[in-house]
Amino acid sequence: MNFSADIGMQKNMSYSTARPTFEVVVTRNAIVLMLCISINYINGTLVHTFFRHKMFRENPRYILFIHLVFNDMIQLTIAALLNLITYIWFKINVSFCCFLLMIAISTTQNTPLNLAGMAIERYIAVCNPLRHAQLCTVNRTYILIAIIWALGVAAILPDLFVLLVTEPNEFFHSAIFCHRDPLFRQDFMKKKKTISYITYLSFVWFILVFTYFKILFAAKAVNADAKKARNTILLHGAQLLMCMFTYVGPPLETVFKYTFPAHFPQLRFASYLMIHILPRFLSPILYGLRDQSFRKYFKMYLLCNVKDSGGQTMNISADIGTQKNMSYSTARPTLEVVVTRNAIVLMLCISINYINGTLVHTFFRREIFRENPRYILFIHLVLNDMIQLTITALLHLIAYVWFKINVSFCCFLLMITVSTTLNTPLNLAGMAVERYIAVCNPLRHAQLCTVNRTYILITIIWALGAAAILPDLFVLLVTESNEFFHSVIYCNRDSLFHQAFMKKKKNISHITYLSCVWLILVFTYFKILFAAKAVNEDAKKARNTILLHGAQLLMCMFTYDSGAQTRNFSADIGMQKNMSYSTARPTFEAVVTRNAIVLMLCISINYINGTLVHTFFRHEIFRENPRYILFIHLVLNDMIQLTITALLHLIAYVWFKINVSFCCFLQMIAVSTTQNTPLNLAGMAIERYDRRVQPAAPRPALHRQQDLHPHRHHLGPWGWPPSLPDLFVLLVTESNEFFHSVIYCNRDSLFHQAFMKKKKIISHITFLSCVSLILVFTYFKILFRRQGCERGRQEGAQHHPPSRRTAHYVHAHLRRDQSFRKYFKMYLLCNVKDSGGQTMNFSADIGMQKNMSYSTARPTLEVVVTNNAIVLMLCIAINYINGTLVHTFFRHEIFRENPRYILFIHLVLNDMIQLTIAALLHLIAYVWFKINVSFCCFLLMIAISTTLNTPLNLAGMAIERYIAVCNPLRHAQLCTVNRTYILIAIIWALGAAAILPDLFVLLVTEPNEFFHSVIFCSRDSLFHQAFMKRKRNVSHITYLSCVWLILVFTYFKILFAAKAVNADAKKARNTILLHGAQLLMCMFTYVGPPLETVFEYTFASHFPQLRFASYLIIHILPRFLSPILYGLRDQSFRKYFKMYLLCNVKDSGAQTMNFSADIGMQKNMSYSTARPTLEVVVTRNTIVLMLCISINYINGTLVHTFFRHEIFRENPRYILFIHLVLNDMIQLTIAALLHLISYVWFKINVSFCCFLLMIAISTTLNTPLNLAGMAIERYIAVCNPLRHAQLCTVNRTYILIAIIWALGAAAILPDLFVLLVTEPNEFFHSVIFCSRDSLFHQAFMKRKRNVSHITYLSCVWLILVFTYFKILFAAKAVNADAKKARNTILLHGAQLLMCMFTYVGPPLETVFEYIFPLHLQEMQFTSYLIIHILPRFLSPILYGLRDQSFRKYFKMYLLCNVKVTCHRKHVTPFKCITSPRVNPSL
């Protein structure tokens, strides 16, 4: 490449073949950069002088001068940058070049225009002094500056617009030598440039000449000396001449090229310095030094000699970067020392950044580096160091020049410095992990270490780096006033974040980060070492790389050790009792060392124990052996106990005291696991005794049959009794305030009563005595048994089956121990063999791998039914509780007018919807497996929107609490009901905005056939494009980050507001904390998929059970806990909630209402005074709901059978039958809902009641009409078979169904129209007990009802009788057996009789009321089951099971034994159910 390139603002020329040497290039760039920095330093001092003194900021003359200086600084920086670019990259992107040239040309044009403005200001001051103050104001000066920039930009903007129009898009993505002539290469643009230059300079020259002579004549006219003003104008002229050098540069270079061709490069470089650099140096200095006032301050700031307010000279021997502020000596360094130090720092900074920049340039110039994750991480480390070094040098320079700077600017610099400082060790850890994968798992290196994942890792590194300083910034924003951020401060971390807890947090974060990085480096080093030894290879290079990372990390640690002082930690250790502390506290180093040792030991031991657990679950031989089950339980117990102990140890040093409730939780686990260990040892001893002492043939079989049962090894609960009574006593004896206080967390401090300590000692003695007795007994029993066996062998006995079996058993177990050791060593080194004998490396990433094929063992029918029953019962129970909360809200106006309760109820309703959809998706995954894509879209839209609504709603609730506490006077004005509903609308809009773009993309990219196909309904299956998954992760992170930010901000605001007024805002703070806990539970949704992947690889054999458990914890539990915790904390809400939950509601007359209400379709009766107990209410509703779910499940199986097979969908007989089943499902659901409403709410809104009754009555009347239609179809099939296919078509069947619904609705619609006409609007907003007689209460309506019932049933009976006898006579006429058809008609009659029970229900209840008044409630409930529930169960089953074709498929689907195609040939559905991840909510 030819490096004789021209500099930024010169035209492109043909370059000579002889390019300058490397020394020449470095020298020229160093000269340019040093001049640029020096001139900008001087100009920056001028700017600093201007802004430090108000007298300059209010003078238009100085404002214009400083604008000139600013403009020259920008122009000089861009010129130097373009010079550097020509030597390094030569060509750059056209778009970036446009940006640089726009600034360069505009600032170049601004200089002469600014000089003209300054000349006019001087002219007015001399020639019209009386009006100078009126004409030359500060505002007008800034307007003049805006005009100058507009004129400067106007010279280049037309060229840019022409370029955009005339050039194609590819041009702007190409590379070009960055100069005006190659970019704007059209001839007319060059002519325009020349004309604009002449116009601008002529105009400026005219102004300068005019003002010069005007000032000269004015001075002569008054016989005054205007020498100074004239000299100023002359200086402007000289400055303008220097500006004109820019325009004479190109022709001057052409002269040099032809006159001195041998020395052309040197002459061109000299002209560059004279034309572009020198004018920016001379003009501000000459102008600034001519003004006495300005010169005085300028010299002071230039020599770093600043006087404080007290008149004392301040020593600017400031410390560097992020070190703490030191006490300054009175003897300040001389100017030579200051200049020398700053010069050394700047030269080192420039040199290092130049070398690093070369590395970056090398990386971006070669594609081989850009596609290698190793080099990407390395270059990120280099870029990070460049940023960190630049900011550190800047802070060093600031410390000597300005000493104190603006707080906001200091925050910005420190944010970058701290983040980049922490990024370095994290980047080293990432590089070590990449080397580890490359050496230990080379076959999967390309799959795991991709370029995209590398950039994701870099993003995570920056997030972790920022996470160490962002909380401090948030606390600072909350605790400090606005004035603080406009003040000045010595810029280092300790001066800015001066609170004590921030300094402690800084130390903790440093220790945490470095400990994790050290752990990764040590782990990867030894892994690489062992891997090299295992294959007898030399991995010296990779090991040396890790060692270099360690050395680099040591150097990074110097940052944290500098200036560290000895700190005292009086913290006690985890599980020890609180002691009286000596006066000599451990030093900071001792504290750090101790905690580091404990954490490293804890991690190492848990890693080894985890490997044991992994070995156990990977091999069935261990999972079926009680010995290993007990052993692994001991290991898991020890892992939990060790983790809690280490946590308590860390807490003792860091926080010392913690919340009592949290301490209770930790102590319960710690004490229980501690007690579990000896009990588990006792169980293991008994197991050894049982197998060694009694190894006869029947005993091992019995041993295997009984002891292998998994429920016989749950020894965990044995450890709970000693600690639970203490907890119960504590809950009874202590007040609520105690559990919100803080305490030193150990057992004696928490359970401090004397009798508890005695009980502890007794329980310890009892447990240990029992365990010791068992161990001694089993030891001697085994010892004597082995001695007897040895004696038997010595006596030469021929037949000793037990001894042989014992010896064989011992050897077998020894062999199994060897197997365990073999697998353990293999897993410990992450070297696992797969089924094909190939070595699998388990250092693989889990979360991002594709879904694997699962084992062929499908869950049994019992497991499927149990899982679905648990989910449905939990869903119903939680929605019942949440529905009670909603009912409480709508029953009392005090809640409906409070924004706090509105937001809470919206949260509850949102959770109810989300839970219902999640349960539905879970059920679909087991029953249908795949559903229609369009229906899946609908379900997922609701599920995803409601899932995202929860954190947004929590944020809204937190803001409402913040306003209520911190701004109570404006709370009523800001938080109105209308605004709350607007906020809810915004929440739904934001929730939908996260999924709507995916839906639109799906609609555009997929064909129509896709939306009619079937799919396993999950977000990943539906939105399967890679960018959609990335978008999902980004949206989740964005939403949750914003919500976390709001919660943290409001929490600290409330906390500090309470402290400011010495008030207790404990409840509001706790509310915010609850929001945080609730948000954490919401976040479980997003960790579900990676968690399932972990289970999939770690516990493959138990994956279905673990996935189901995670589903309950992630999707079900948060919807149960969050509303209850929030609702029960409010006293007003709690009072009403308890009342409605127990169905104990008082009416307006203060009489207790009896909720033994009858069922939806019955008339309202007078209720007995004795209301049913809570147990009776719960039992009845449970029976109804269980029957409803069971019957609908069976009916749903019938519907599923129908839609799965085309043979049924084309047969009118089956279409009518399935319509009957669907109609019964709707009717049963509405009846059960009305039954539930009558017990829970009793009265509901009239409009909602109208809706329910319309459906209930229509479906009730549809049943007999559908039976009549089925009877007619059978009559045609038997009596007129030749025309059956013509008369009974599919289309006509659907028309008949429409007629049935029309006739069913015709019986109730007139009543509704009459009600709308006769009742006022208020009636439809009131509440009523929902039954037909209560709603349609006019007498003529009751008579009409009876008439319609008689008419409908008479017609149906007539049709049934007619068809029955017609079929009978037709069969006799042809001597055929029409028994089946006749039986069908008879079944229709029986079914119609059961339907008629609905109409005899009211008179039947009247009879019961008079005959059995004491048992009326039981009789009513029984009649409800017989009348409303039983017919919906018997009729479809009897009809469906009579058909052989239908019965065959029905039995198959009822038992969930369906064959489908799922990536292989036919497998059972539960193989497919475990195949994809059943993530039912999203």
Side-chain angles (χ1 to χ4, degrees), residues 1358-1370:
L1358 181 63
I1359 292 172
L1360 290 180
V1361 171
F1362 173 79
T1363 54
Y1364 175 77
F1365 285 105
K1366 274 289 188 180
I1367 292 171
L1368 183 64
F1369 297 147

Side-chain angles (χ1 to χ4, degrees), residues 46 101 112 123 167 317 336 342 669 729 746 751 768 989 1002 1320:
L46 291 170
L101 287 182
Y123 160 70
E167 299 292 344
S317 58
E336 292 77 11
N342 281 282
I669 301 175
V729 171
N746 66 17
F751 306 109
L768 293 176
L1002 200 70

Side-chain angles (χ1 to χ4, degrees), residues 74 501 745 766 832 1249 1480:
I74 296 170
F501 72 90
C745 189
T766 306
V832 188
C1249 178

Side-chain angles (χ1 to χ4, degrees), residues 31 159 284 513 888 897 1100 1214 1276:
I31 291 171
D159 295 346
Y513 277 55
T888 304
E897 295 180 352
Y1214 292 111
I1276 296 173

Side-chain angles (χ1 to χ4, degrees), residues 69-130:
V69 172
F70 257 131
N71 186 79
D72 284 347
M73 289 175 72
I74 296 170
Q75 201 271 348
L76 179 62
T77 304
I78 298 295
L81 178 61
L82 287 169
N83 180 77
L84 189 64
I85 287 171
T86 59
Y87 278 99
I88 297 178
W89 289 281
F90 190 68
K91 292 183 178 183
I92 60 172
N93 182 269
V94 171
S95 302
F96 183 54
C97 178
C98 285
F99 172 73
L100 294 179
L101 287 182
M102 283 287 291
I103 300 174
I105 296 170
S106 299
T107 50
T108 303
Q109 297 279 42
N110 287 349
T111 302
L113 296 174
N114 199 97
L115 291 172
M118 294 168 74
I120 291 172
E121 187 274 337
R122 284 296 83 198
Y123 160 70
I124 296 172
V126 173
C127 299
N128 200 355
L130 298 179

Side-chain angles (χ1 to χ4, degrees), residues 905-940:
I905 289 301
H906 173 253
L907 178 67
V908 172
L909 287 170
N910 184 78
D911 283 347
M912 289 175 72
I913 298 170
Q914 201 271 346
L915 179 61
T916 304
I917 298 295
L920 178 61
L921 287 169
H922 183 271
L923 187 64
I924 287 170
Y926 276 97
V927 178
W928 290 279
F929 188 67
K930 292 184 177 182
I931 59 172
N932 182 268
V933 172
S934 302
F935 183 52
C936 178
C937 285
F938 172 73
L939 293 179
L940 287 181

Side-chain angles (χ1 to χ4, degrees), residues 828-930:
L828 189 65
L829 298 176
C830 300
N831 188 17
V832 188
K833 292 195 180 258
D834 65 0
S835 59
Q838 299 298 322
T839 300
M840 292 183 76
N841 188 330
F842 269 142
S843 62
D845 190 43
I846 296 153
M848 299 300 295
Q849 295 183 19
K850 65 179 182 179
N851 199 353
M852 66 178 192
S853 57
Y854 301 98
S855 61
T856 56
R858 65 179 180 88
T860 61
L861 177 64
E862 292 77 11
V863 174
V864 173
V865 173
T866 303
N867 287 355
N868 281 283
I870 291 171
V871 170
L872 289 175
M873 288 302 294
L874 285 174
C875 178
I876 293 168
I878 295 169
N879 278 346
Y880 172 75
I881 295 169
N882 286 345
T884 307
L885 291 170
V886 175
H887 174 68
T888 304
F889 172 80
F890 283 106
R891 288 280 291 181
H892 300 279
E893 193 173 357
I894 186 177
F895 301 133
R896 296 199 302 273
E897 295 180 352
N898 192 327
R900 178 188 178 189
Y901 293 110
I902 294 172
L903 287 171
F904 168 61
I905 289 301
H906 173 253
L907 178 67
V908 172
L909 287 170
N910 184 78
D911 283 347
M912 289 175 72
I913 298 170
Q914 201 271 346
L915 179 61
T916 304
I917 298 295
L920 178 61
L921 287 169
H922 183 271
L923 187 64
I924 287 170
Y926 276 97
V927 178
W928 290 279
F929 188 67
K930 292 184 177 182

Side-chain angles (χ1 to χ4, degrees), residues 860-866 868-869 872 922-924 926-928 1185-1201 1221 1224-1225 1228-1229 1432-1433 1436-1437 1450-1458 1469-1470 1473:
T860 61
L861 177 64
E862 292 77 11
V863 174
V864 173
V865 173
T866 303
N868 281 283
L872 289 175
H922 183 271
L923 187 64
I924 287 170
Y926 276 97
V927 178
W928 290 279
L1185 290 175
M1186 287 302 293
L1187 285 173
C1188 178
I1189 292 168
S1190 304
I1191 295 169
N1192 277 346
Y1193 175 73
I1194 296 170
N1195 287 345
T1197 307
L1198 291 170
V1199 176
H1200 176 68
T1201 305
V1221 172
D1224 284 347
M1225 289 176 72
L1228 179 61
T1229 304
R1432 274 75 212 172
F1433 173 66
I1437 299 302
F1450 174 71
K1451 287 171 66 179
M1452 182 172 62
Y1453 291 122
L1454 187 66
L1455 299 178
C1456 301
N1457 188 15
V1458 187
F1470 293 108
I1473 286 173

